[in-house]
Amino acid sequence: MPEPYDVITMGRIGVDIYPQDVGVPLARVETFNKFLGGSPTNVAVAAARLGRRTAVITRTGRDAFGDYLHQELRGFGVDDRWVTAVEEYPTPVTFCEIFPPDDFPLYFYRQPKAPDLEIHPPELDLGAVRDARIFWMTGTGLSAEPSRAATLAALRARSESARGEDPAGESRTATVFDLDWRPMFWDGGDHSSVAPARYREALAHATVAVGNVDECAIATGEREPHAAARALLAAGVELAVVKQGPKGVLAVHRDGSTADVPPLPVEVLNGLGAGDAFGGALCHGLLAGWDIARIMRYANAAGAIVAARLACSSAMPFPAEVERALAEGAVTGEIASGPPGASS
């Protein structure tokens, strides 16, 4: 029997096309670089950088950018066996503008439909999904069919395993719902009438929920962090993680333990991707069996390191970098520049 994956993520993938000019409007940018992108894909990269065996379930176009994404996944050590091509749609691209410290507009090109929303339930390797120590899915995967049905099928497989219908469920660590609210992907946008119900349906199968206050409001109707955490626990999860930006992160476990951790000081260059680094580090800490305060400190540090770098996927930190940031109590310029020979 194959060894279970530490982390399997499912959902969005694409090519990030980032300006190399900071503080310049997109219309005036002259130099760009391309990177592997897509939040759950970046989470898989972040966990792989921390030594975890990871894979991603997603789809690309059958085009040169799709080839590029396979190349990058393999280079990062992420298993791409469940990354398949869609004939009808091109691989998505995403542009951004970079105005530090807190303005990073994103421009998604996912029309007429992104291939990663064309994941069909029969294509899933439900045995691998059930056996993975952590399964990570996102709100975007619930925004359209057939991705919604496939995502829920994966979640139900995990729930059945946890209830003892599959002995392999005993080794499961977590089923993580990254709330990942992107209103532009939903009919009705910010006023979508179906998104809250879809979120509640998925929460019933998850053991961990992660989101910022806006995302928690979509999922629970609550914006105050402690109220949002309580609402997420009431919806069925065991651990609620509420990200509060410059105020840090709040984590509340059903067993009563809590952690309210301030951010690590950092000079922000590009905040995009920091949440994905946080996610990969969260998986790493859960797999290591750490207490929630230690996990939150570690995840905060990983996210801060990426916020100090230009890229997302290639900026994900290695363990020694995270430990150094924690030891120094800040992301210094030397940490931000990465290890010798690193490209960020």
Side-chain angles (χ1 to χ4, degrees):
M1 182 176 179
E3 182 72 18
Y5 287 86
D6 290 323
V7 181
I8 294 178
T9 69
M10 179 176 177
R12 203 162 66 246
I13 194 171
V15 178
D16 287 346
I17 301 180
Y18 282 5
Q20 302 303 285
D21 305 310
V22 175
V24 178
L26 200 58
R28 290 174 36 209
V29 173
E30 295 185 356
T31 306
F32 297 86
N33 202 349
K34 69 180 188 299
F35 304 94
L36 170 75
S39 179
T41 305
N42 281 339
V43 169
V45 171
R49 278 273 170 98
L50 297 173
R52 299 301 178 174
R53 181 169 178 254
T54 71
V56 61
I57 301 168
T58 189
R59 304 196 74 181
T60 71
R62 193 177 295 281
D63 51 31
F65 276 152
D67 295 341
Y68 165 74
L69 294 175
H70 278 279
Q71 168 190 306
E72 290 297 286
L73 286 168
R74 293 165 186 160
F76 286 124
V78 177
D79 195 323
D80 64 346
R81 70 181 61 196
W82 297 304
V83 182
T84 58
V86 176
E87 295 286 351
E88 304 95 303
Y89 304 123
T91 300
V93 298
T94 303
F95 288 84
C96 76
E97 293 175 309
I98 301 176
F99 296 103
D102 58 5
D103 187 16
F104 310 102
L106 281 168
Y107 304 88
F108 292 97
Y109 291 80
R110 291 169 59 86
Q111 299 299 327
K113 187 178 185 181
D116 56 56
L117 292 174
E118 281 291 298
I119 304 171
H120 293 257
E123 299 166 349
L124 296 175
D125 184 342
L126 290 179
V129 169
R130 276 192 295 265
D131 292 348
R133 298 178 68 195
I134 290 179
F135 175 68
W136 178 289
M137 47 70 65
T138 77
T140 296
L142 303 172
S143 66
E145 294 291 5
S147 172
R148 179 185 301 130
T151 302
L152 291 171
L155 288 172
R156 283 193 292 270
R158 299 279 292 180
S159 292
E160 292 166 3
S161 175
R163 288 196 298 265
E165 296 174 27
D166 184 341
E170 297 174 4
S171 64
R172 191 197 66 171
T173 298
T175 300
V176 185
F177 182 2
D178 176 3
L179 301 180
D180 180 45
W181 173 240
R182 302 286 182 177
M184 69 286 291
F185 300 156
W186 289 79
D187 290 340
D190 280 311
H191 305 289
S192 172
S193 60
V194 301
R198 301 301 184 192
Y199 272 58
R200 287 193 296 272
E201 187 176 3
L203 282 169
H205 299 285
T207 63
V208 178
V210 184
N212 60 35
V213 291
D214 292 330
E215 293 165 338
C216 289
I218 293 296
T220 69
E222 300 284 356
R223 295 187 60 85
E224 193 281 321
H226 288 271
R230 289 193 296 269
L232 289 168
L233 295 178
V237 303
E238 298 170 9
L239 174 64
V241 180
V242 183
K243 295 185 284 189
Q244 306 173 74
K247 294 182 180 179
V249 61
L250 169 70
V252 181
H253 197 279
R254 184 177 292 172
D255 66 9
S257 57
T258 66
D260 201 342
V261 179
L264 203 66
V266 58
E267 184 174 343
V268 175
L269 175 59
N270 182 3
L272 301 173
D276 304 333
F278 181 101
L282 170 65
C283 292
H284 180 64
L286 290 170
L287 291 166
W290 297 341
D291 64 72
I292 61 171
R294 181 179 179 184
I295 294 172
M296 294 305 117
R297 288 192 297 270
Y298 194 93
N300 262 357
I305 291 169
V306 172
R309 297 173 174 175
L310 182 61
C312 288
S313 53
S314 62
M316 297 300 166
F318 293 95
E321 296 177 296
V322 182
E323 294 293 350
R324 180 176 176 185
L326 287 169
E328 298 191 7
V331 179
T332 63
E334 189 173 346
I335 296 171
S337 64
S343 173
S344 63

